[in-house]
Amino acid sequence: MNVENTQSQMRKGILEYCILGILNNGEAYPSEILEKLRAAQMLVVEGTVYPLLTRLKNLELLAYRWEESTSGPPRKYYKITPKGAQFFADLSHTWQELQQAVRTLTQNKTL
Amino acid sequence: MNKTVSIHIQGFAFIFEEQAYEVLRKYLNDLSVILQKEQGKDEILQDIELRIVELLQEKINAQQVVQLEQIQEITQLLGSPEVFSEEESIKSDQTKFESTEPIAPHKRFFRDSDKPVLGCSRWSSGLFQY
Protein backbone atom coordinates (compact mmCIF):
# COMPACT_ATOMS: atom_id res chain seq x y z
CA MET A 1 0.00 0.00 0.00
CA ASN A 2 1.34 3.45 -0.85
CA VAL A 3 0.12 6.83 0.26
CA GLU A 4 -0.74 7.98 -3.29
CA ASN A 5 -3.22 5.11 -3.71
CA THR A 6 -4.94 5.90 -0.43
CA GLN A 7 -5.05 9.61 -1.25
CA SER A 8 -6.52 8.78 -4.65
CA GLN A 9 -9.19 6.52 -3.10
CA MET A 10 -10.09 9.23 -0.56
CA ARG A 11 -10.57 11.77 -3.35
CA LYS A 12 -12.60 9.35 -5.45
CA GLY A 13 -14.89 8.61 -2.53
CA ILE A 14 -16.03 12.19 -2.29
CA LEU A 15 -15.93 13.08 -5.98
CA GLU A 16 -19.68 12.50 -6.34
CA TYR A 17 -20.37 14.87 -3.46
CA CYS A 18 -18.05 17.51 -4.96
CA ILE A 19 -19.69 17.30 -8.39
CA LEU A 20 -23.11 17.73 -6.83
CA GLY A 21 -21.68 20.65 -4.84
CA ILE A 22 -20.40 22.36 -7.99
CA LEU A 23 -23.74 21.92 -9.74
CA ASN A 24 -25.65 23.02 -6.66
CA ASN A 25 -24.10 26.45 -7.35
CA GLY A 26 -25.34 26.54 -10.96
CA GLU A 27 -25.26 24.60 -14.20
CA ALA A 28 -21.97 23.73 -15.84
CA TYR A 29 -20.65 21.66 -18.73
CA PRO A 30 -18.12 18.86 -18.14
CA SER A 31 -15.00 20.92 -18.97
CA GLU A 32 -16.04 23.57 -16.43
CA ILE A 33 -16.65 20.88 -13.82
CA LEU A 34 -13.22 19.40 -14.57
CA GLU A 35 -11.58 22.81 -14.31
CA LYS A 36 -13.14 23.45 -10.90
CA LEU A 37 -12.16 20.02 -9.63
CA ARG A 38 -8.62 20.52 -10.94
CA ALA A 39 -8.33 23.96 -9.32
CA ALA A 40 -9.39 22.42 -6.00
CA GLN A 41 -6.89 19.58 -6.52
CA MET A 42 -9.76 17.11 -6.40
CA LEU A 43 -9.23 15.63 -9.85
CA VAL A 44 -7.50 12.28 -10.20
CA VAL A 45 -7.97 11.84 -13.95
CA GLU A 46 -10.71 13.30 -16.13
CA GLY A 47 -12.13 9.94 -17.12
CA THR A 48 -13.49 9.20 -13.65
CA VAL A 49 -15.90 12.13 -13.93
CA TYR A 50 -17.84 11.03 -17.04
CA PRO A 51 -19.26 7.73 -15.72
CA LEU A 52 -20.23 9.57 -12.52
CA LEU A 53 -22.10 12.29 -14.39
CA THR A 54 -24.05 9.72 -16.40
CA ARG A 55 -24.79 7.67 -13.29
CA LEU A 56 -26.04 10.74 -11.40
CA LYS A 57 -28.15 11.69 -14.41
CA ASN A 58 -29.62 8.16 -14.61
CA LEU A 59 -30.52 8.42 -10.92
CA GLU A 60 -32.36 11.66 -11.78
CA LEU A 61 -30.09 13.64 -9.49
CA LEU A 62 -28.84 15.62 -12.50
CA ALA A 63 -30.41 16.71 -15.78
CA TYR A 64 -28.79 18.23 -18.84
CA ARG A 65 -29.44 20.34 -21.93
CA TRP A 66 -27.37 20.75 -25.07
CA GLU A 67 -26.03 24.10 -26.18
CA GLU A 68 -24.18 24.85 -29.40
CA SER A 69 -20.72 26.30 -29.00
CA THR A 70 -19.05 28.70 -31.43
CA SER A 71 -15.59 27.49 -30.41
CA GLY A 72 -15.96 23.71 -30.45
CA PRO A 73 -18.33 20.78 -30.08
CA PRO A 74 -21.80 21.24 -28.56
CA ARG A 75 -21.78 21.49 -24.79
CA LYS A 76 -23.81 19.38 -22.44
CA TYR A 77 -24.85 21.64 -19.57
CA TYR A 78 -25.64 19.70 -16.41
CA LYS A 79 -27.84 21.03 -13.64
CA ILE A 80 -28.92 19.60 -10.33
CA THR A 81 -32.54 18.42 -10.04
CA PRO A 82 -34.71 18.99 -6.93
CA LYS A 83 -34.08 15.32 -6.06
CA GLY A 84 -30.34 15.95 -6.52
CA ALA A 85 -30.46 19.03 -4.29
CA GLN A 86 -32.07 16.98 -1.53
CA PHE A 87 -29.49 14.23 -2.04
CA PHE A 88 -26.71 16.85 -1.81
CA ALA A 89 -28.22 18.25 1.40
CA ASP A 90 -28.27 14.74 2.91
CA LEU A 91 -24.64 14.18 1.87
CA SER A 92 -23.65 17.56 3.31
CA HIS A 93 -25.09 16.49 6.64
CA THR A 94 -23.15 13.22 6.49
CA TRP A 95 -20.00 15.11 5.50
CA GLN A 96 -20.29 17.36 8.56
CA GLU A 97 -20.68 14.31 10.77
CA LEU A 98 -17.71 12.60 9.14
CA GLN A 99 -15.52 15.67 9.48
CA GLN A 100 -16.33 15.86 13.18
CA ALA A 101 -15.80 12.12 13.66
CA VAL A 102 -12.46 12.10 11.83
CA ARG A 103 -11.29 15.20 13.70
CA THR A 104 -12.16 13.54 17.00
CA LEU A 105 -10.45 10.30 16.09
CA THR A 106 -7.30 11.73 14.55
CA GLN A 107 -6.54 14.78 16.70
CA ASN A 108 -3.32 14.68 18.67
CA LYS A 109 -4.42 14.49 22.30
CA THR A 110 -0.91 15.02 23.62
CA LEU A 111 -0.88 18.64 22.40
CA MET B 1 6.92 9.65 -44.85
CA ASN B 2 4.01 8.85 -42.55
CA LYS B 3 0.64 7.57 -43.65
CA THR B 4 -2.36 9.62 -42.51
CA VAL B 5 -5.96 8.69 -41.83
CA SER B 6 -8.98 10.94 -42.15
CA ILE B 7 -11.62 10.38 -39.46
CA HIS B 8 -14.66 11.99 -37.91
CA ILE B 9 -15.16 12.07 -34.15
CA GLN B 10 -18.66 13.09 -33.13
CA GLY B 11 -19.08 14.74 -36.53
CA PHE B 12 -15.78 16.67 -36.41
CA ALA B 13 -13.18 15.88 -39.06
CA PHE B 14 -9.53 15.29 -38.23
CA ILE B 15 -6.49 13.98 -40.04
CA PHE B 16 -4.49 11.57 -37.91
CA GLU B 17 -1.03 10.15 -38.26
CA GLU B 18 -1.75 6.43 -38.64
CA GLN B 19 -0.01 5.50 -35.39
CA ALA B 20 -1.96 8.18 -33.49
CA TYR B 21 -5.17 6.87 -34.99
CA GLU B 22 -4.33 3.30 -33.95
CA VAL B 23 -3.67 4.40 -30.37
CA LEU B 24 -6.96 6.30 -30.16
CA ARG B 25 -8.89 3.47 -31.81
CA LYS B 26 -7.51 0.98 -29.28
CA TYR B 27 -8.19 3.35 -26.39
CA LEU B 28 -11.85 3.81 -27.38
CA ASN B 29 -12.22 0.10 -28.05
CA ASP B 30 -10.79 -0.75 -24.61
CA LEU B 31 -13.10 1.78 -22.97
CA SER B 32 -16.06 0.29 -24.78
CA VAL B 33 -15.17 -3.17 -23.44
CA ILE B 34 -14.62 -1.93 -19.89
CA LEU B 35 -17.88 0.02 -19.86
CA GLN B 36 -19.91 -2.74 -21.48
CA LYS B 37 -22.01 -3.42 -18.39
CA GLU B 38 -22.40 0.22 -17.49
CA GLN B 39 -25.88 1.62 -17.94
CA GLY B 40 -25.45 4.60 -20.25
CA LYS B 41 -22.26 3.26 -21.82
CA ASP B 42 -22.99 4.94 -25.17
CA GLU B 43 -23.59 8.26 -23.45
CA ILE B 44 -20.33 8.03 -21.51
CA LEU B 45 -18.40 7.20 -24.68
CA GLN B 46 -20.08 10.09 -26.47
CA ASP B 47 -19.06 12.46 -23.65
CA ILE B 48 -15.50 11.21 -23.81
CA GLU B 49 -15.36 11.59 -27.59
CA LEU B 50 -16.67 15.15 -27.28
CA ARG B 51 -13.95 15.87 -24.74
CA ILE B 52 -11.38 14.40 -27.14
CA VAL B 53 -12.67 16.73 -29.87
CA GLU B 54 -12.43 19.68 -27.49
CA LEU B 55 -8.86 18.80 -26.49
CA LEU B 56 -7.80 18.19 -30.11
CA GLN B 57 -9.21 21.55 -31.16
CA GLU B 58 -7.19 23.20 -28.39
CA LYS B 59 -4.01 21.48 -29.59
CA ILE B 60 -4.19 21.79 -33.38
CA ASN B 61 -5.76 23.87 -36.12
CA ALA B 62 -7.93 22.42 -38.87
CA GLN B 63 -5.03 21.90 -41.27
CA GLN B 64 -2.72 20.11 -38.87
CA VAL B 65 -2.25 16.39 -38.60
CA VAL B 66 -2.85 14.85 -35.18
CA GLN B 67 0.41 13.36 -33.91
CA LEU B 68 0.95 10.38 -31.65
CA GLU B 69 2.29 12.58 -28.82
CA GLN B 70 -0.93 14.61 -28.81
CA ILE B 71 -3.08 11.50 -28.50
CA GLN B 72 -0.83 10.19 -25.74
CA GLU B 73 -1.24 13.48 -23.84
CA ILE B 74 -5.02 13.28 -24.23
CA THR B 75 -5.31 9.66 -23.13
CA GLN B 76 -3.07 10.43 -20.16
CA LEU B 77 -5.32 13.32 -19.16
CA LEU B 78 -8.45 11.18 -19.47
CA GLY B 79 -6.89 8.24 -17.67
CA SER B 80 -6.18 4.68 -18.69
CA PRO B 81 -9.14 2.36 -19.39
CA GLU B 82 -8.23 0.61 -16.11
CA VAL B 83 -9.20 3.79 -14.27
CA PHE B 84 -12.70 3.44 -15.66
CA SER B 85 -12.61 -0.15 -14.55
CA GLU B 86 -11.77 0.91 -10.97
CA GLU B 87 -14.69 3.27 -11.09
CA GLU B 88 -16.89 0.49 -12.36
CA SER B 89 -15.67 -1.86 -9.64
CA ILE B 90 -16.92 0.50 -6.92
CA LYS B 91 -20.36 0.34 -8.45
CA SER B 92 -20.29 -3.38 -9.17
CA ASP B 93 -19.36 -4.07 -5.55
CA GLN B 94 -22.66 -2.47 -4.62
CA THR B 95 -24.74 -4.26 -7.24
CA LYS B 96 -22.93 -7.52 -7.91
CA PHE B 97 -25.80 -9.68 -6.69
CA GLU B 98 -28.51 -7.65 -8.36
CA SER B 99 -27.85 -8.46 -11.99
CA THR B 100 -27.70 -11.78 -13.80
CA GLU B 101 -27.60 -10.17 -17.22
CA PRO B 102 -25.29 -12.02 -19.63
CA ILE B 103 -22.24 -10.13 -20.78
CA ALA B 104 -22.80 -8.79 -24.28
CA PRO B 105 -20.08 -9.53 -26.81
CA HIS B 106 -17.93 -6.44 -27.11
CA LYS B 107 -18.06 -4.38 -30.26
CA ARG B 108 -14.99 -4.41 -32.39
CA PHE B 109 -13.82 -1.81 -34.74
CA PHE B 110 -13.16 -2.81 -38.35
CA ARG B 111 -12.40 -1.18 -41.65
CA ASP B 112 -15.74 -0.89 -43.47
CA SER B 113 -15.12 -1.62 -47.11
CA ASP B 114 -18.82 -1.52 -48.00
CA LYS B 115 -19.77 1.90 -46.71
CA PRO B 116 -16.98 4.41 -47.05
CA VAL B 117 -18.08 7.81 -45.75
CA LEU B 118 -17.71 10.78 -48.07
CA GLY B 119 -14.37 12.45 -47.56
CA CYS B 120 -13.18 9.80 -45.12
CA SER B 121 -11.27 6.60 -45.34
CA ARG B 122 -12.92 3.24 -44.81
CA TRP B 123 -11.40 3.15 -41.36
CA SER B 124 -13.40 6.22 -40.41
CA SER B 125 -16.55 4.68 -41.79
CA GLY B 126 -15.89 1.88 -39.33
CA LEU B 127 -15.52 4.47 -36.58
CA PHE B 128 -18.97 5.82 -37.38
CA GLN B 129 -20.50 2.40 -37.03
CA TYR B 130 -18.49 1.56 -33.93
Side-chain angles (χ1 to χ4, degrees):
Chain A
M1 183 187 285
N2 64 46
V3 73
E4 286 83 11
N5 278 350
T6 307
Q7 286 166 339
S8 166
Q9 290 303 321
M10 286 169 96
R11 283 197 188 92
K12 273 188 185 175
I14 51 172
L15 195 55
E16 188 173 301
Y17 175 53
C18 291
I19 290 172
L20 287 169
I22 291 168
L23 295 169
N24 198 45
N25 290 323
E27 64 175 11
Y29 65 98
S31 298
E32 287 178 319
I33 297 170
L34 292 167
E35 201 177 303
K36 285 179 180 170
L37 289 170
R38 191 174 288 117
Q41 299 190 326
M42 272 302 302
L43 194 63
V44 185
V45 282
E46 291 194 0
T48 55
V49 172
Y50 292 99
L52 262 182
L53 285 171
T54 300
R55 215 171 288 150
L56 293 170
K57 188 269 297 176
N58 288 343
L59 291 167
E60 298 174 346
L61 303 177
L62 300 180
Y64 68 80
R65 66 177 176 85
W66 286 102
E67 191 173 299
E68 288 299 325
S69 164
T70 50
S71 59
R75 291 171 176 175
K76 199 179 197 178
Y77 277 87
Y78 283 92
K79 69 172 183 182
I80 200 161
T81 62
K83 189 177 166 185
Q86 182 56 53
F87 192 82
F88 176 68
D90 292 344
L91 289 184
S92 295
H93 180 69
T94 305
W95 178 244
Q96 297 301 325
E97 286 178 344
L98 278 173
Q99 266 189 313
Q100 182 58 45
V102 171
R103 197 176 298 126
T104 305
L105 291 169
T106 59
Q107 70 183 349
N108 190 340
K109 289 180 178 157
T110 59
L111 293 176
Chain B
M1 192 183 294
N2 290 330
K3 196 173 168 186
T4 60
V5 182
S6 170
I7 65 164
H8 280 74
I9 307 172
Q10 291 295 318
F12 290 81
F14 295 96
I15 300 168
F16 274 58
E17 210 178 50
E18 192 177 29
Q19 209 183 351
Y21 165 73
E22 283 300 330
V23 169
L24 182 61
R25 183 191 65 82
K26 184 179 182 312
Y27 182 78
L28 291 174
N29 199 31
D30 289 349
L31 278 185
S32 179
V33 172
I34 273 172
L35 293 170
Q36 66 183 333
K37 285 198 284 180
E38 182 84 20
Q39 194 189 2
K41 169 197 152 188
D42 292 342
E43 206 172 342
I44 297 167
L45 288 172
Q46 183 192 40
D47 287 348
I48 291 164
E49 287 187 6
L50 285 172
R51 180 61 176 152
I52 291 169
V53 170
E54 206 172 46
L55 291 168
L56 282 174
Q57 288 180 338
E58 282 172 17
K59 288 178 185 294
I60 58 160
N61 65 43
Q63 282 76 43
Q64 283 180 312
V65 175
V66 179
Q67 308 288 317
L68 177 63
E69 295 74 29
Q70 290 162 330
I71 289 302
Q72 284 170 334
E73 281 171 25
I74 288 172
T75 55
Q76 200 173 355
L77 193 68
L78 289 169
S80 68
E82 288 71 31
V83 169
F84 290 79
S85 178
E86 279 176 41
E87 192 60 33
E88 171 62 11
S89 69
I90 294 168
K91 183 183 164 247
S92 59
D93 283 347
Q94 295 162 350
T95 58
K96 67 168 85 164
F97 298 113
E98 291 173 16
S99 172
T100 54
E101 215 173 288
I103 298 169
H106 78 264
K107 276 185 177 178
R108 294 198 58 195
F109 186 59
F110 297 104
R111 187 189 294 259
D112 184 348
S113 56
D114 298 329
K115 297 177 193 167
V117 176
L118 188 65
C120 307
S121 72
R122 287 173 175 149
W123 277 109
S124 49
S125 175
L127 186 63
F128 272 118
Q129 293 194 26
Y130 165 72

mmCIF file of all heavy atoms in Angstrom, chain A residues 62-90:
data_model
loop_
_atom_site.group_PDB
_atom_site.id
_atom_site.type_symbol
_atom_site.label_atom_id
_atom_site.label_comp_id
_atom_site.label_asym_id
_atom_site.label_seq_id
_atom_site.Cartn_x
_atom_site.Cartn_y
_atom_site.Cartn_z
ATOM 1 N N LEU A 62 -29.273 14.573 -11.565
ATOM 2 C CA LEU A 62 -28.842 15.619 -12.502
ATOM 3 C C LEU A 62 -29.693 15.551 -13.767
ATOM 4 O O LEU A 62 -30.229 14.490 -14.093
ATOM 5 C CB LEU A 62 -27.375 15.437 -12.906
ATOM 6 C CG LEU A 62 -26.284 15.458 -11.836
ATOM 7 C CD1 LEU A 62 -24.913 15.251 -12.480
ATOM 8 C CD2 LEU A 62 -26.309 16.752 -11.045
ATOM 9 N N ALA A 63 -29.783 16.671 -14.455
ATOM 10 C CA ALA A 63 -30.408 16.706 -15.783
ATOM 11 C C ALA A 63 -29.464 17.511 -16.670
ATOM 12 O O ALA A 63 -28.543 18.164 -16.160
ATOM 13 C CB ALA A 63 -31.765 17.378 -15.707
ATOM 14 N N TYR A 64 -29.659 17.439 -17.980
ATOM 15 C CA TYR A 64 -28.785 18.233 -18.842
ATOM 16 C C TYR A 64 -29.540 18.796 -20.036
ATOM 17 O O TYR A 64 -30.635 18.353 -20.366
ATOM 18 C CB TYR A 64 -27.566 17.420 -19.302
ATOM 19 C CG TYR A 64 -27.867 16.276 -20.259
ATOM 20 C CD1 TYR A 64 -28.080 16.522 -21.618
ATOM 21 C CD2 TYR A 64 -27.917 14.978 -19.813
ATOM 22 C CE1 TYR A 64 -28.352 15.485 -22.487
ATOM 23 C CE2 TYR A 64 -28.191 13.936 -20.679
ATOM 24 C CZ TYR A 64 -28.408 14.190 -22.017
ATOM 25 O OH TYR A 64 -28.680 13.165 -22.882
ATOM 26 N N ARG A 65 -28.934 19.781 -20.661
ATOM 27 C CA ARG A 65 -29.440 20.336 -21.926
ATOM 28 C C ARG A 65 -28.228 20.569 -22.815
ATOM 29 O O ARG A 65 -27.112 20.776 -22.327
ATOM 30 C CB ARG A 65 -30.198 21.648 -21.672
ATOM 31 C CG ARG A 65 -29.327 22.767 -21.173
ATOM 32 C CD ARG A 65 -30.064 24.077 -20.985
ATOM 33 N NE ARG A 65 -29.154 25.072 -20.408
ATOM 34 C CZ ARG A 65 -28.327 25.828 -21.114
ATOM 35 N NH1 ARG A 65 -28.323 25.732 -22.418
ATOM 36 N NH2 ARG A 65 -27.516 26.689 -20.532
ATOM 37 N N TRP A 66 -28.461 20.507 -24.125
ATOM 38 C CA TRP A 66 -27.374 20.749 -25.073
ATOM 39 C C TRP A 66 -27.348 22.222 -25.467
ATOM 40 O O TRP A 66 -28.399 22.854 -25.579
ATOM 41 C CB TRP A 66 -27.562 19.919 -26.336
ATOM 42 C CG TRP A 66 -27.277 18.463 -26.164
ATOM 43 C CD1 TRP A 66 -28.195 17.456 -26.016
ATOM 44 C CD2 TRP A 66 -25.984 17.838 -26.135
ATOM 45 N NE1 TRP A 66 -27.550 16.246 -25.894
ATOM 46 C CE2 TRP A 66 -26.196 16.450 -25.962
ATOM 47 C CE3 TRP A 66 -24.684 18.314 -26.230
ATOM 48 C CZ2 TRP A 66 -25.150 15.536 -25.889
ATOM 49 C CZ3 TRP A 66 -23.636 17.420 -26.164
ATOM 50 C CH2 TRP A 66 -23.872 16.038 -25.992
ATOM 51 N N GLU A 67 -26.145 22.740 -25.671
ATOM 52 C CA GLU A 67 -26.027 24.102 -26.178
ATOM 53 C C GLU A 67 -24.913 24.128 -27.223
ATOM 54 O O GLU A 67 -23.822 23.613 -26.978
ATOM 55 C CB GLU A 67 -25.700 25.062 -25.030
ATOM 56 C CG GLU A 67 -25.825 26.516 -25.442
ATOM 57 C CD GLU A 67 -25.669 27.467 -24.258
ATOM 58 O OE1 GLU A 67 -26.470 27.388 -23.310
ATOM 59 O OE2 GLU A 67 -24.721 28.270 -24.289
ATOM 60 N N GLU A 68 -25.208 24.738 -28.354
ATOM 61 C CA GLU A 68 -24.182 24.849 -29.400
ATOM 62 C C GLU A 68 -23.059 25.757 -28.916
ATOM 63 O O GLU A 68 -23.296 26.698 -28.154
ATOM 64 C CB GLU A 68 -24.784 25.434 -30.680
ATOM 65 C CG GLU A 68 -25.706 24.480 -31.430
ATOM 66 C CD GLU A 68 -25.018 23.203 -31.900
ATOM 67 O OE1 GLU A 68 -23.822 23.273 -32.274
ATOM 68 O OE2 GLU A 68 -25.653 22.137 -31.864
ATOM 69 N N SER A 69 -21.852 25.460 -29.363
ATOM 70 C CA SER A 69 -20.716 26.304 -29.003
ATOM 71 C C SER A 69 -20.090 26.856 -30.273
ATOM 72 O O SER A 69 -20.005 26.161 -31.278
ATOM 73 C CB SER A 69 -19.683 25.474 -28.237
ATOM 74 O OG SER A 69 -18.451 26.138 -28.191
ATOM 75 N N THR A 70 -19.672 28.109 -30.239
ATOM 76 C CA THR A 70 -19.047 28.700 -31.426
ATOM 77 C C THR A 70 -17.577 28.268 -31.525
ATOM 78 O O THR A 70 -16.962 28.354 -32.584
ATOM 79 C CB THR A 70 -19.094 30.248 -31.356
ATOM 80 O OG1 THR A 70 -18.596 30.645 -30.082
ATOM 81 C CG2 THR A 70 -20.502 30.755 -31.559
ATOM 82 N N SER A 71 -17.023 27.801 -30.408
ATOM 83 C CA SER A 71 -15.593 27.495 -30.414
ATOM 84 C C SER A 71 -15.265 26.004 -30.394
ATOM 85 O O SER A 71 -14.107 25.630 -30.273
ATOM 86 C CB SER A 71 -14.940 28.155 -29.200
ATOM 87 O OG SER A 71 -15.536 27.667 -28.026
ATOM 88 N N GLY A 72 -16.267 25.136 -30.504
ATOM 89 C CA GLY A 72 -15.962 23.706 -30.454
ATOM 90 C C GLY A 72 -17.216 22.859 -30.528
ATOM 91 O O GLY A 72 -18.241 23.314 -31.050
ATOM 92 N N PRO A 73 -17.150 21.660 -30.016
ATOM 93 C CA PRO A 73 -18.325 20.779 -30.078
ATOM 94 C C PRO A 73 -19.459 21.288 -29.192
ATOM 95 O O PRO A 73 -19.215 22.110 -28.296
ATOM 96 C CB PRO A 73 -17.773 19.445 -29.555
ATOM 97 C CG PRO A 73 -16.584 19.787 -28.757
ATOM 98 C CD PRO A 73 -16.008 21.025 -29.345
ATOM 99 N N PRO A 74 -20.695 20.810 -29.420
ATOM 100 C CA PRO A 74 -21.804 21.238 -28.555
ATOM 101 C C PRO A 74 -21.517 20.879 -27.103
ATOM 102 O O PRO A 74 -20.834 19.893 -26.831
ATOM 103 C CB PRO A 74 -23.011 20.464 -29.108
ATOM 104 C CG PRO A 74 -22.446 19.358 -29.911
ATOM 105 C CD PRO A 74 -21.121 19.820 -30.408
ATOM 106 N N ARG A 75 -22.042 21.706 -26.219
ATOM 107 C CA ARG A 75 -21.779 21.493 -24.788
ATOM 108 C C ARG A 75 -23.006 20.946 -24.082
ATOM 109 O O ARG A 75 -24.124 21.384 -24.331
ATOM 110 C CB ARG A 75 -21.364 22.815 -24.136
ATOM 111 C CG ARG A 75 -20.013 23.271 -24.613
ATOM 112 C CD ARG A 75 -19.700 24.667 -24.159
ATOM 113 N NE ARG A 75 -18.346 25.032 -24.551
ATOM 114 C CZ ARG A 75 -17.818 26.236 -24.379
ATOM 115 N NH1 ARG A 75 -18.541 27.198 -23.843
ATOM 116 N NH2 ARG A 75 -16.579 26.470 -24.740
ATOM 117 N N LYS A 76 -22.736 20.018 -23.189
ATOM 118 C CA LYS A 76 -23.812 19.382 -22.436
ATOM 119 C C LYS A 76 -23.837 20.040 -21.057
ATOM 120 O O LYS A 76 -22.945 19.777 -20.242
ATOM 121 C CB LYS A 76 -23.457 17.899 -22.316
ATOM 122 C CG LYS A 76 -24.573 16.973 -21.986
ATOM 123 C CD LYS A 76 -23.971 15.567 -21.951
ATOM 124 C CE LYS A 76 -24.979 14.495 -22.039
ATOM 125 N NZ LYS A 76 -24.346 13.164 -22.044
ATOM 126 N N TYR A 77 -24.773 20.927 -20.857
ATOM 127 C CA TYR A 77 -24.848 21.638 -19.574
ATOM 128 C C TYR A 77 -25.648 20.816 -18.562
ATOM 129 O O TYR A 77 -26.827 20.533 -18.782
ATOM 130 C CB TYR A 77 -25.501 23.013 -19.754
ATOM 131 C CG TYR A 77 -24.524 24.067 -20.220
ATOM 132 C CD1 TYR A 77 -24.274 24.261 -21.570
ATOM 133 C CD2 TYR A 77 -23.839 24.857 -19.303
ATOM 134 C CE1 TYR A 77 -23.360 25.211 -21.997
ATOM 135 C CE2 TYR A 77 -22.925 25.811 -19.714
ATOM 136 C CZ TYR A 77 -22.693 25.985 -21.063
ATOM 137 O OH TYR A 77 -21.788 26.920 -21.482
ATOM 138 N N TYR A 78 -24.972 20.447 -17.475
ATOM 139 C CA TYR A 78 -25.639 19.696 -16.408
ATOM 140 C C TYR A 78 -26.177 20.659 -15.354
ATOM 141 O O TYR A 78 -25.558 21.691 -15.072
ATOM 142 C CB TYR A 78 -24.647 18.744 -15.724
ATOM 143 C CG TYR A 78 -24.350 17.498 -16.515
ATOM 144 C CD1 TYR A 78 -23.279 17.458 -17.397
ATOM 145 C CD2 TYR A 78 -25.152 16.369 -16.389
ATOM 146 C CE1 TYR A 78 -23.001 16.311 -18.132
ATOM 147 C CE2 TYR A 78 -24.877 15.216 -17.125
ATOM 148 C CZ TYR A 78 -23.803 15.201 -17.986
ATOM 149 O OH TYR A 78 -23.536 14.060 -18.707
ATOM 150 N N LYS A 79 -27.328 20.281 -14.790
ATOM 151 C CA LYS A 79 -27.837 21.030 -13.639
ATOM 152 C C LYS A 79 -28.379 20.039 -12.614
ATOM 153 O O LYS A 79 -28.748 18.907 -12.960
ATOM 154 C CB LYS A 79 -28.904 22.038 -14.061
ATOM 155 C CG LYS A 79 -30.201 21.429 -14.539
ATOM 156 C CD LYS A 79 -31.249 22.498 -14.757
ATOM 157 C CE LYS A 79 -32.570 21.856 -15.162
ATOM 158 N NZ LYS A 79 -33.615 22.838 -15.434
ATOM 159 N N ILE A 80 -28.436 20.470 -11.396
ATOM 160 C CA ILE A 80 -28.924 19.599 -10.332
ATOM 161 C C ILE A 80 -30.460 19.635 -10.336
ATOM 162 O O ILE A 80 -31.061 20.680 -10.610
ATOM 163 C CB ILE A 80 -28.308 20.027 -8.972
ATOM 164 C CG1 ILE A 80 -28.383 18.896 -7.961
ATOM 165 C CG2 ILE A 80 -28.920 21.315 -8.447
ATOM 166 C CD1 ILE A 80 -27.424 19.064 -6.781
ATOM 167 N N THR A 81 -31.071 18.492 -10.094
ATOM 168 C CA THR A 81 -32.540 18.424 -10.039
ATOM 169 C C THR A 81 -32.973 18.652 -8.585
ATOM 170 O O THR A 81 -32.137 18.590 -7.667
ATOM 171 C CB THR A 81 -33.023 17.033 -10.494
ATOM 172 O OG1 THR A 81 -32.482 16.069 -9.581
ATOM 173 C CG2 THR A 81 -32.584 16.710 -11.912
ATOM 174 N N PRO A 82 -34.254 18.860 -8.323
ATOM 175 C CA PRO A 82 -34.712 18.986 -6.925
ATOM 176 C C PRO A 82 -34.346 17.736 -6.109
ATOM 177 O O PRO A 82 -33.905 17.848 -4.963
ATOM 178 C CB PRO A 82 -36.235 19.146 -7.064
ATOM 179 C CG PRO A 82 -36.417 19.759 -8.420
ATOM 180 C CD PRO A 82 -35.350 19.170 -9.281
ATOM 181 N N LYS A 83 -34.468 16.565 -6.742
ATOM 182 C CA LYS A 83 -34.076 15.325 -6.061
ATOM 183 C C LYS A 83 -32.568 15.335 -5.758
ATOM 184 O O LYS A 83 -32.137 14.898 -4.683
ATOM 185 C CB LYS A 83 -34.419 14.139 -6.985
ATOM 186 C CG LYS A 83 -34.286 12.777 -6.359
ATOM 187 C CD LYS A 83 -34.745 11.721 -7.378
ATOM 188 C CE LYS A 83 -34.327 10.325 -6.969
ATOM 189 N NZ LYS A 83 -34.653 9.325 -7.993
ATOM 190 N N GLY A 84 -31.785 15.851 -6.706
ATOM 191 C CA GLY A 84 -30.335 15.948 -6.520
ATOM 192 C C GLY A 84 -29.977 16.927 -5.415
ATOM 193 O O GLY A 84 -29.041 16.687 -4.645
ATOM 194 N N ALA A 85 -30.731 18.030 -5.334
ATOM 195 C CA ALA A 85 -30.459 19.035 -4.292
ATOM 196 C C ALA A 85 -30.721 18.437 -2.906
ATOM 197 O O ALA A 85 -29.972 18.690 -1.960
ATOM 198 C CB ALA A 85 -31.321 20.267 -4.533
ATOM 199 N N GLN A 86 -31.767 17.634 -2.807
ATOM 200 C CA GLN A 86 -32.071 16.976 -1.533
ATOM 201 C C GLN A 86 -30.972 15.962 -1.189
ATOM 202 O O GLN A 86 -30.522 15.875 -0.042
ATOM 203 C CB GLN A 86 -33.445 16.280 -1.621
ATOM 204 C CG GLN A 86 -33.888 15.600 -0.335
ATOM 205 C CD GLN A 86 -33.919 16.561 0.858
ATOM 206 O OE1 GLN A 86 -34.545 17.620 0.797
ATOM 207 N NE2 GLN A 86 -33.211 16.205 1.928
ATOM 208 N N PHE A 87 -30.563 15.223 -2.208
ATOM 209 C CA PHE A 87 -29.490 14.234 -2.037
ATOM 210 C C PHE A 87 -28.214 14.936 -1.565
ATOM 211 O O PHE A 87 -27.532 14.471 -0.651
ATOM 212 C CB PHE A 87 -29.262 13.536 -3.392
ATOM 213 C CG PHE A 87 -28.402 12.314 -3.340
ATOM 214 C CD1 PHE A 87 -28.924 11.091 -2.969
ATOM 215 C CD2 PHE A 87 -27.054 12.373 -3.695
ATOM 216 C CE1 PHE A 87 -28.130 9.942 -2.942
ATOM 217 C CE2 PHE A 87 -26.251 11.247 -3.666
ATOM 218 C CZ PHE A 87 -26.798 10.036 -3.293
ATOM 219 N N PHE A 88 -27.904 16.080 -2.187
ATOM 220 C CA PHE A 88 -26.714 16.849 -1.813
ATOM 221 C C PHE A 88 -26.827 17.336 -0.363
ATOM 222 O O PHE A 88 -25.846 17.283 0.393
ATOM 223 C CB PHE A 88 -26.537 18.046 -2.766
ATOM 224 C CG PHE A 88 -25.399 18.940 -2.388
ATOM 225 C CD1 PHE A 88 -24.086 18.512 -2.484
ATOM 226 C CD2 PHE A 88 -25.639 20.231 -1.909
ATOM 227 C CE1 PHE A 88 -23.025 19.324 -2.118
ATOM 228 C CE2 PHE A 88 -24.583 21.049 -1.535
ATOM 229 C CZ PHE A 88 -23.280 20.600 -1.645
ATOM 230 N N ALA A 89 -28.024 17.787 0.018
ATOM 231 C CA ALA A 89 -28.224 18.254 1.400
ATOM 232 C C ALA A 89 -27.988 17.108 2.389
ATOM 233 O O ALA A 89 -27.347 17.298 3.433
ATOM 234 C CB ALA A 89 -29.639 18.819 1.556
ATOM 235 N N ASP A 90 -28.474 15.920 2.042
ATOM 236 C CA ASP A 90 -28.267 14.744 2.911
ATOM 237 C C ASP A 90 -26.767 14.412 3.013
ATOM 238 O O ASP A 90 -26.266 14.110 4.095
ATOM 239 C CB ASP A 90 -29.018 13.516 2.362
ATOM 240 C CG ASP A 90 -30.528 13.686 2.451
ATOM 241 O OD1 ASP A 90 -30.984 14.579 3.202
ATOM 242 O OD2 ASP A 90 -31.262 12.933 1.766
#
